[in-house]
Amino acid sequence: DSGVTQTPKHLITATGQRVTLRCSPRSGDLSVYWYQQSLDQGLQFLIQYYNGEERAKGNILERFSAQQFPDLHSELNLSSLELGDSALYFCASSVGGRTPNYGYTFGSGTRLTVV
Amino acid sequence: GQNIDQPTEMTATEGAIVQINCTYQTSGFNGLFWYQQHAGEAPTFLSYNVLDGLEEKGRFSSFLSRSKGYSYLLLKELQMKDSASYLCAVPTSGTYKYIFGTGTRLKVLA
């Protein structure tokens, strides 16, 4: 157990629907990062939050949004889902706002299947 | 721009040594990471290099040459459990995100 908790582990939904993925960072970590991993692509950075504020953004689609709450958990909202959104979504956390030299701690991921 | 290249697949035999290469292009340099990822699981941190040279950690070593934009991960005494994808990643300068390579899928054969 890495200490980063993601729920749900699996999600199957239809095109056009909206889902919310949840991440609780490791205790003491203030930063949360969201990554998408499709079958034919590597890990793609989506967005980072640090202590409740957006810190960095990647190629996140406008249909996707995220936030970090006062208790530091984060949610990634995916709307108007398309087949191409099927992927593994990972959350990672770190203590500070910069990438630490010991790396991120990743959660076990949410596998999203859009049918 | 920023780019990372790794071989897609490699195969090696149990007990052997394998070297997984990574070349990168990045504006600014804040170190290079290697992660291991078993199929369907989360990536786990293996190593971090910020200075040139070899860092050894048990059966795994990682090498960096900043002037050449090159790194490799060396796995010794291969075990079946080492069958996984190995991801090379660099933090982007001035931001807080990693650029990951697509990973090298290593198959260890008995």
Side-chain angles (χ1 to χ4, degrees), chain A residues 37 42-43 88 90 106, chain B residues 35-44 46 82-87 102-105:
Chain A
Q37 188 174 39
L43 282 159
L88 264 171
F90 286 105
F106 280 88
Chain B
Y35 282 82
Q36 180 192 59
Q37 186 180 25
H38 287 97
E41 297 183 10
T44 54
L46 288 178
D82 297 330
S83 293
S85 285
Y86 291 85
L87 312 177
T102 51
T104 298
R105 193 160 52 247

Side-chain angles (χ1 to χ4, degrees), chain A residues 15-115:
Chain A
T15 54
Q17 295 299 303
R18 182 178 189 276
V19 297
T20 297
L21 312 184
R22 183 188 168 103
C23 170
S24 293
R26 202 176 48 165
S27 178
D29 285 357
L30 300 179
S31 270
V32 169
Y33 311 80
W34 285 98
Y35 280 82
Q36 178 193 55
Q37 188 174 39
S38 305
L39 269 178
D40 56 348
Q41 292 187 7
L43 282 159
Q44 302 289 321
F45 173 77
L46 294 178
I47 197 163
Q48 179 209 358
Y49 280 85
Y50 174 73
N51 205 20
E53 297 197 359
E54 184 184 302
R55 181 62 69 94
K57 219 170 188 175
N59 295 326
I60 187 168
L61 299 173
E62 283 191 15
R63 300 184 286 110
F64 296 1
S65 64
Q67 58 186 96
Q68 186 179 28
F69 294 86
D71 67 352
L72 300 177
H73 91 270
S74 177
E75 293 181 357
L76 179 67
N77 301 297
L78 315 176
S79 61
S80 304
L81 284 167
E82 302 174 359
L83 295 178
D85 297 328
S86 296
L88 264 171
Y89 290 84
F90 286 105
C91 165
S93 72
S94 67
V95 172
R98 292 191 172 274
T99 49
N101 61 5
Y102 51 83
Y104 295 150
T105 301
F106 280 88
S108 56
T110 294
R111 182 175 292 281
L112 173 67
T113 303
V114 182
V115 297

Side-chain angles (χ1 to χ4, degrees), chain B residues 72-91:
Chain B
Y72 68 72
L73 182 69
L74 194 70
L75 291 75
K76 302 176 191 172
E77 300 168 16
L78 280 172
Q79 302 175 9
M80 299 297 287
K81 67 178 182 180
D82 297 330
S83 293
S85 285
Y86 291 85
L87 312 177
C88 175
V90 291

